[in-house]
Structure formats: C-alpha cells, structure tokens
Amino acid sequence: MCPPALIPLGAALTGASAGAAGTALAASQIAVASSAIMGVTSAGLQIRGQQIQANTQRKVQANASKVERQRYLNEVSSLRTQQAQEAEAVAQKLQVNKTRAMEAQSTAVVAAGEAGVAGLSVDALKQDLTRKEALYNQSVNKQSKMLDVRRELALRDAGLGFTNNMLRINRPIEEVDYAGALVSGTQTGLSTYSSLKE
C-alpha cells in the first residue's frame, strides 16, 4: 500500500487512462481528507476533554481547600475558646480560694481572741492557713499549665492535620498533553485512512 502523498504519482507512472486515474485520485483524496478530518477531530476532542478535566479538578480543589481552611479555623477557634474558658475557671478557683482563706484567717483570729489566745499561736495558725492556700493555688496553677500544654499539642496536631489535608487536596493537576493528543489523533486518522482504502 502506498502512502497517500504518493498515490497521484503512482497513478501517473502506471500509465492508466486519464478517467481511471481521475477516479482513483478523487477516491484517494476523499480518503486522505476524511482521515485528516478524523485525526484532527479526535485530537481536538482529546485536548478539549483534558482541558475540561483540568479545569474541573482546579475548581474541586479550590472548593475543598476553602472548606478545609474553614474547618481548621473552626477547630482552632474551638480550642482557643476552651483555653479561655479554662483560664477563666482557674481564675475563679483562685479567687474563691483567696476569699475562703481570708475568711478562715478572720474566723481563726476572732476565735483565738475570744478564747484568750494571742501572739505566736495566732501567727502560727494564720501561717498554716496561708500555707494551705498556697498549696491549693499551686495545685490549680499546675493543672492549668498541664491543660495549656495539652491544648498546645492539640493546636499543633490541628496544624499538621491541616497541612496534610491541603497537600492531599491540592495534588498537581495533569496539564493538557498536546503531543499525546496529536499522536493519538494521527493514529486515528491513519486507522480511518486504512479503513477507507480497503
């Protein structure tokens, strides 16, 4: 089988009649034109399909990224709100403890005075109450620090989760393969040409 470009030359060299050569030439030109149209159409459809797919993937990634950012901000906001609430609870506990310690000292001083106890005994009682207040405050502050450490770890984990999710969402998008589409279109055209020549 001759390549399409050599068909007219082959017809001229064989010395066939002008009418037969003209009919063969017309059929050959139709086959070449049909195969070229099929090849170009196939390549164009592949390219357009790849463009649509890439654009769709970009839109999906943009939407998923937006949702992930909002999810992360909500998670961080929730953790910070919990942290603020815990800090407020700690402050309230410390204030209640201070008030109770002051009341206990006042009650102890009055009771000691009514009992006729004074001097070093009253001072020792006040110091004991102050020591108990300090121990309680130390315990509350230690618990608060542990909660802060836990919260910071949760915030770090939230940040890592956000980064991993964004990397998963925003994988590279395959660009349009113009060369591959042209090769595939050419193959389709040649296949069409072969079918028409048989």
Side-chain angles (χ1 to χ4, degrees):
M1 173 186 263
C2 277
L6 299 178
I7 291 176
L9 180 61
L13 292 176
T14 58
S17 68
T23 304
L25 180 59
S28 176
Q29 288 174 341
I30 290 170
V32 169
S34 296
S35 63
I37 289 170
M38 288 296 291
V40 169
T41 301
S42 174
L45 288 173
Q46 286 183 33
I47 289 170
R48 185 62 188 139
Q50 290 176 17
Q51 289 171 336
I52 289 170
Q53 184 177 1
N55 288 337
T56 301
Q57 191 172 352
R58 280 186 193 91
K59 289 177 186 175
V60 167
Q61 285 181 345
N63 288 337
S65 294
K66 183 178 176 182
V67 168
E68 176 58 20
R69 272 190 291 280
Q70 191 57 52
R71 185 209 61 79
Y72 172 68
L73 291 175
N74 290 343
E75 183 177 3
V76 169
S77 176
S78 174
L79 289 169
R80 290 296 185 196
T81 300
Q82 287 175 3
Q83 189 175 30
Q85 290 170 345
E86 288 165 359
E88 181 64 27
V90 165
Q92 287 175 357
K93 283 181 181 180
L94 293 175
Q95 184 58 43
V96 166
N97 188 46
K98 181 177 182 178
T99 303
R100 285 183 182 162
M102 289 173 60
E103 289 172 355
Q105 284 185 10
S106 296
T107 303
V109 168
V110 169
E114 289 175 355
V117 178
L120 293 176
S121 297
V122 174
D123 289 342
L125 181 60
K126 286 169 65 176
Q127 287 175 359
D128 185 53
L129 291 171
T130 301
R131 182 184 60 78
K132 287 179 180 177
E133 176 189 7
L135 286 174
Y136 179 80
N137 288 350
Q138 182 181 12
S139 171
V140 169
N141 286 326
K142 185 176 182 180
Q143 184 181 17
S144 175
K145 287 179 182 177
M146 290 171 62
L147 287 173
D148 282 344
V149 168
R150 188 181 77 191
R151 188 81 55 237
E152 290 305 316
L153 290 173
L155 286 166
R156 189 194 69 188
D157 287 346
L160 289 173
F162 172 74
T163 301
N164 288 336
N165 286 340
M166 291 299 279
L167 288 172
R168 181 183 47 78
I169 290 168
N170 293 302
R171 291 187 181 185
I173 297 172
E174 239 180 84
E175 293 301 320
V176 177
D177 183 10
Y178 292 100
L182 292 174
V183 167
S184 179
T186 302
Q187 289 173 340
T188 300
L190 290 173
S191 175
T192 302
Y193 179 75
S194 296
S195 298
L196 292 173
K197 287 302 286 177
E198 289 178 2

